[in-house]
């Protein structure tokens, strides 16, 4: 695909402070079955390079702990490790700010540590599920994680996101927008702390050439 085709496939969304985002989405309702998409992180890096974006947020849904344990059990590389191996990639571990949520997060951190993943440059986002003070187990877990990751960010609850996603970012609570900027700064600081400031140019992946039947070996 050409850069023009990639950009034409992206939706342009309004962001706070007059900025814009390009979003690649299937435009389906939340209750629709997900599309069959490539799992290989290199495919998404290729797409990002084709689009010419300086920064890309890849929102994945796989469970880090399950992914690492399954990969070790089968003897295959984990997707988590493949994402972390991409140039200038900063992993953001997301969990609900609840007792079970931080317990799952701690399990993922232990698995990632055993696997040797770069937790020192990871950022943790704890998303509140309701208004009010975070539960004591969540605050304790956040304190323990501070020394193991680059940053821990508390994301406040905003019912607008749950109802409408990010389709109208201008209606987010001011505090949510502030924390979003804080999260972005933490990711950028982690990247600068690892690879230097300014960041060196990212390598451009080679173009994938579609093979025809004539290119395939005969049987």
């Amino acid at each position: 695909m050409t850069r023009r085709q990639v950009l034409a496939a992206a939706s342009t969304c309004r962001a706070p402070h007059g900025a814009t985002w390009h979003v690649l989405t299937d435009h389906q309702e939340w209750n629709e079955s997900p599309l069959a998409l490539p799992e290989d992180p290199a495919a998404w890096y290729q797409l990002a390079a084709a689009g010419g974006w300086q920064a890309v947020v890849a929102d994945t849904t796989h469970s880090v702990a399950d992914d690492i344990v399954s990969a070790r059990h089968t003897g295959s590389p984990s997707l988590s490790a493949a994402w972390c191996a991409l140039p200038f990639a900063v992993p953001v571990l997301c969990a609900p700010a609840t007792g079970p949520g931080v317990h799952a997060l701690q399990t993922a951190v232990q698995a990632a540590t055993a696997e040797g993943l770069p937790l020192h440059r990871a950022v943790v986002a704890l998303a509140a599920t309701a208004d009010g003070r975070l539960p004591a187990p969540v605050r304790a877990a956040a304190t323990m994680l501070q020394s193991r990751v680059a940053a821990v960010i508390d994301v406040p609850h905003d019912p607008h996101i749950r109802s409408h996603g990010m389709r109208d970012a201008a209606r987010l609570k001011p505090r949510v927008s502030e924390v979003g900027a804080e999260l972005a700064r933490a990711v950028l600081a982690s990247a600068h702390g690892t690879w230097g400031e300014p960041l060196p140019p990212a390598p451009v992946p080679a173009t994938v050439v579609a093979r025809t039947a004539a290119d395939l070996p005969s049987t």
Side-chain angles (χ1 to χ4, degrees):
M1 298 179 67
T2 65
R3 176 163 298 179
R4 179 176 295 181
Q5 288 174 312
V6 172
L7 294 178
S11 299
T12 301
C13 299
R14 289 180 299 172
H17 311 299
T20 57
W21 295 325
H22 285 153
V23 181
L24 291 172
T25 175
D26 54 17
H27 292 285
Q28 295 187 130
E29 296 296 332
W30 291 93
N31 57 353
E32 294 290 336
S33 300
L35 298 179
L37 299 173
E39 287 191 345
D40 188 351
W44 298 99
Y45 180 62
Q46 178 86 29
L47 180 64
W53 293 292
Q54 284 189 306
V56 175
V57 178
D59 185 10
T60 66
T61 58
H62 74 277
S63 170
V64 174
D66 289 347
D67 168 56
I68 293 173
V69 172
S70 298
R72 175 162 290 194
H73 177 71
T74 59
S76 57
S78 73
L79 284 178
S80 300
W83 279 110
C84 292
L86 293 179
F88 314 128
V90 175
V92 180
L93 303 179
C94 305
T98 62
V102 294
H103 177 72
L105 175 63
Q106 289 170 323
T107 301
V109 167
Q110 291 173 348
T113 300
E115 193 68 13
L117 297 187
L119 281 180
H120 64 280
R121 70 171 191 255
V123 174
V124 169
L126 295 173
T129 58
D131 293 327
R133 186 175 173 83
L134 295 178
V138 176
R139 299 198 304 272
T143 300
M144 292 179 62
L145 286 170
Q146 290 283 359
S147 61
R148 306 188 67 177
V149 299
V152 178
I153 307 296
D154 295 330
V155 181
H157 176 65
D158 191 335
H160 180 77
I161 294 178
R162 185 169 294 275
S163 302
H164 304 287
M166 298 294 291
R167 283 180 292 183
D168 190 359
R171 295 183 59 185
L172 295 177
K173 293 181 178 179
R175 178 57 185 155
V176 174
S177 297
E178 293 171 4
V179 170
E182 181 184 353
L183 179 59
R185 287 193 296 268
V187 170
L188 189 58
S190 175
H192 286 158
T194 303
W195 295 287
E197 184 179 357
L199 293 173
V204 178
T207 302
V208 176
V209 179
R211 297 200 300 176
T212 65
D215 298 323
L216 300 176
S218 58
T219 56

